[in-house]
Structure formats: C-alpha cells, structure tokens
Amino acid sequence: MITLRGLTKRYGDKTAVRDLTLDIAPGRVTGFLGPNGAGKSTTMRMILGLDRPSAGEALVGGRPYGRLRHPLREVGALLDAKAVHPGRSARRHLLAMARSNGIAAGRVEEVLATVGLQAVAGKRAGSFSLGMGQRLGIAGALLGDPAVVMFDEPVNGLDPDGVLWVRRLMRSLAAEGRTVFVSSHLMSEMQLTADQLVVIGKGRLIADAPVAEVIAGSSRNAVRVRSPRSRELVARLEAEGAEVRRAGEDALMVAGLPMERVGLIAYQGGAPLLELSAVAASLEEAYMELTGASVEYAAPLPGAGTGAR
Ligand SMILES: Nc1ncnc2c1ncn2[C@@H]1O[C@H](COP(=O)(O)OP(=O)(O)O)[C@@H](O)[C@H]1O
Ligand SMILES: [Mg+2]
C-alpha cells in the first residue's frame, strides 16, 4: 500500500504536485497517467524519499521511506534506467545493491533470470541498449522481493516484445498481491495493463478510478445502428435526446442513449435493424476528455482547423 496525504511539491513559485490524497492498493496494477510535466516523476521521487515534500506526506506500508529499515525489501523502483554505473557489470551492480540491503547474493541470479539478462550479466552496463537497461532496472526493483513496486515509464524505448514482457510482468506482480504503481503517458498501453487509474494534470488529481469506470464516463461511448430507414430513425433518436452521427450509407453512431433504448425506439418507429452494437470509447478518448484542459504545452491536432482543440 502506498498512501499519499496532501502531498505537495513546489519548486520556487511553480507547484509541480498539488495536494494529492489517495491510496494505491495492493493486488492490482495502478496506472499513473498524465501529460509530460504533470508531476508523475516528482510524485514518485517523493514516495522514494528522493525529494522532500513541501507539504503533506507519502507513506509506504504506513511509513515514510526514510523510516524503512531495509528499503529495498519493502519497495522496489525503476525511475531512471540510466542510473547505473556504466563500468560495472549487471551482476556486480545487483550484487552491490543486494549487499547494501542485507539481501542474499543468490537472489541476484534469480532476478537476472526473471528479466532475461543471464547471458549478458557479465557485460558492462554501459554497453546495454535502453531495453536491456530497463530490464536491469526492473531486476534491481525486484531484488528485495518487495511488496510495493514502482516503475516510471517502464516501456519507453522498448520493442514490441519488450512491451509485452513488461505488461505480463506487471500483471503477474499484481496477481502475487503486490502494490504495482506504474506511470505512463501511453494510454493504449495502460488500457491493457492497468486495473486502476490515477490521472493527474498540472500536479492536480483529475481521476482515481477503475479503468472500466474511466472509459464508461466518456461521451465517446456509442451505439452503432444500421437500418434501411436510418433517416427516420435519426429524427426519432434526436427527439429522445441522443446525439446522432451518420457513419455510412445506412449506419448511425448514437451517443447518449443505452443500446436497449435505441433498439426499442427503432422497434416503435417500425425501423428494421440490420445491426445494433455497442462501440466502447478507448481509454485515449476518455483520457483526452478528462485532461483536455490540463495539457501543459498544448499544440493543435494535425488536421484540426485553426483554433480547434
Ligand atoms: N528539480 C526541479 N526543479 C524545478 N522544476 C522541476 C524539477 N523537477 C520537476 N520540475 C517541474 O515540475 C513539473 C513536473 O515534472 P515531472 O514530475 O517530471 O512531470 P512528469 O513526470 O509527469 O512528466 C514540471 O513542470 C517540471 O518542469
Ligand atoms: Mg516523468
């Protein structure tokens, strides 16, 4: 369990993280989403005691990081894959970490196997690709078999195999009952990986909810209908308050009414149905609606007219 209470960080007159209060629970993957500059890394650094909060507190298992006796055994983290001595081999890097935290040396071979770095464990970490560096960072995070793990943008720079591997690893760590807190700005990836989402923008909490709930809240959820009498159907649906968009010859996309209601309205109007299906919004769409007002450096979308957001 990670607990944030009024967590705030100011840099001069800039507030990077503002009054975050939430619990990050064990047994599930919590995705930490927000545009660049939203305050994700700052929040994670405060949880790890690398940055001192301006106000409030961050607790791991009920205690501030500085009060943990064997930190690596309680919380493992990958914040920066480059934070490794380049001249040290992967194995020696992990052995040094293990020694300083009273972790048995045998554990090093176990985590090297978990992340698939055994074959290159004797090579200098400085020669590693970004993906190998990420794996080494993850090995370090797992070294102490901690109940809480945190990863800051772990799939950045990984190839598709690596992305899939990280996703499975997060899922399995959560299935083991651990608290898994992982930041990303990649919505599609979080939709596949996370159970719970914490969304921040400009340092403020925007949402803390199950992924399914965030998606359900989007106005982009719709019902697709096909009928040879779609023209008449449009009028009937709009009269019931639906927002209707034409999606082809005889097809409509209907927002704002449940599918059952759309079917019933078609039946009552005598419109034969060729198709009636739910089209779920993507997390990306739901997210854009949530954060539209909090993007730090907004640029117009390519293809959108001037002034369009
Ligand atoms: N050491 C620092 N000094 C001054 N400003 C900082 C520092 N670290 C981060 N910031 C600012 O705090 C904000 C949040 O940054 P960060 O936590 O890195 O965001 P994210 O990880 O979500 O991209 C940004 O505006 C950033 O410029
Ligand atoms: Mg960051």
Side-chain angles (χ1 to χ4, degrees):
M1 173 83 90
I2 301 171
T3 310
L4 311 183
R5 293 283 171 258
L7 189 66
T8 299
K9 181 68 186 180
R10 285 183 287 269
Y11 292 111
D13 56 5
K14 162 129 199 153
T15 304
V17 175
R18 190 183 298 261
D19 197 22
L20 288 188
T21 295
L22 59 115
D23 293 326
I24 299 140
R28 61 191 185 192
V29 177
T30 300
F32 192 22
L33 285 177
N36 283 330
K40 304 181 296 296
S41 298
T42 303
T43 301
M44 288 183 152
R45 282 201 307 272
M46 286 192 284
I47 296 169
L48 289 173
L50 297 171
D51 252 346
R52 179 192 277 282
S54 309
E57 57 181 2
L59 308 175
V60 176
R63 278 178 299 164
Y65 188 89
R67 300 253 305 277
L68 301 176
R69 251 181 78 119
H70 297 289
L72 281 189
R73 295 202 220 156
E74 314 215 26
V75 50
L78 166 63
L79 292 199
D80 178 2
K82 291 267 170 268
V84 174
H85 190 300
R88 234 179 227 168
S89 74
R91 180 176 283 119
R92 290 184 57 117
H93 167 71
L94 293 171
L95 278 171
M97 281 177 79
R99 205 163 293 144
S100 63
N101 270 262
I103 296 164
R107 179 71 188 147
V108 168
E109 296 308 316
E110 282 175 31
V111 296
L112 281 169
T114 303
V115 303
L117 283 181
Q118 276 165 313
V120 293
K123 294 218 163 93
R124 293 171 56 244
S127 70
F128 279 12
S129 68
L130 180 56
M132 288 157 78
Q134 300 279 59
R135 284 174 189 256
L136 178 56
I138 291 172
L142 300 180
L143 197 59
D145 195 19
V148 175
V149 286
M150 294 205 308
F151 303 98
D152 195 5
E153 307 267 3
V155 302
N156 267 7
L158 295 192
D159 57 18
D161 277 356
V163 171
L164 184 63
W165 177 78
V166 168
R167 185 188 307 152
R168 289 195 177 141
L169 178 72
M170 307 276 138
R171 303 281 340 140
S172 72
L173 291 170
E176 289 164 5
R178 296 177 214 265
T179 301
V180 182
F181 192 39
V182 49
S183 79
S184 182
H185 62 278
L186 302 171
M187 307 312 127
S188 49
E189 184 49 35
M190 278 299 112
Q191 185 168 3
L192 296 171
T193 309
D195 305 293
Q196 181 81 8
L197 288 182
V198 171
V199 182
I200 62 170
K202 293 183 178 167
R204 288 174 205 266
L205 186 66
I206 295 175
D208 174 17
V211 175
E213 202 173 288
V214 171
I215 292 174
S218 168
S219 68
R220 300 297 290 271
N221 290 296
V223 178
R224 182 179 154 86
V225 200
R226 280 177 56 222
S227 169
R229 296 176 62 182
S230 63
R231 213 174 261 280
E232 293 159 62
L233 197 49
V234 172
R236 286 181 174 274
L237 290 166
E238 283 178 345
E240 300 278 339
E243 204 175 290
V244 186
R245 190 162 57 77
R246 191 157 280 288
E249 181 75 6
D250 55 2
L252 305 173
M253 291 292 273
V254 184
L257 287 179
M259 186 159 64
E260 295 77 6
R261 191 86 194 99
V262 174
L264 211 59
I265 291 167
Y267 173 75
Q268 286 162 349
L273 286 185
L274 307 176
E275 180 183 341
L276 184 65
S277 58
V279 180
S282 66
L283 178 59
E284 181 143 41
E285 289 169 324
Y287 171 86
M288 293 309 272
E289 283 180 64
L290 277 176
T291 60
S294 10
V295 180
E296 280 267 86
Y297 307 102
L301 290 173
T306 351
R309 291 288 305 269

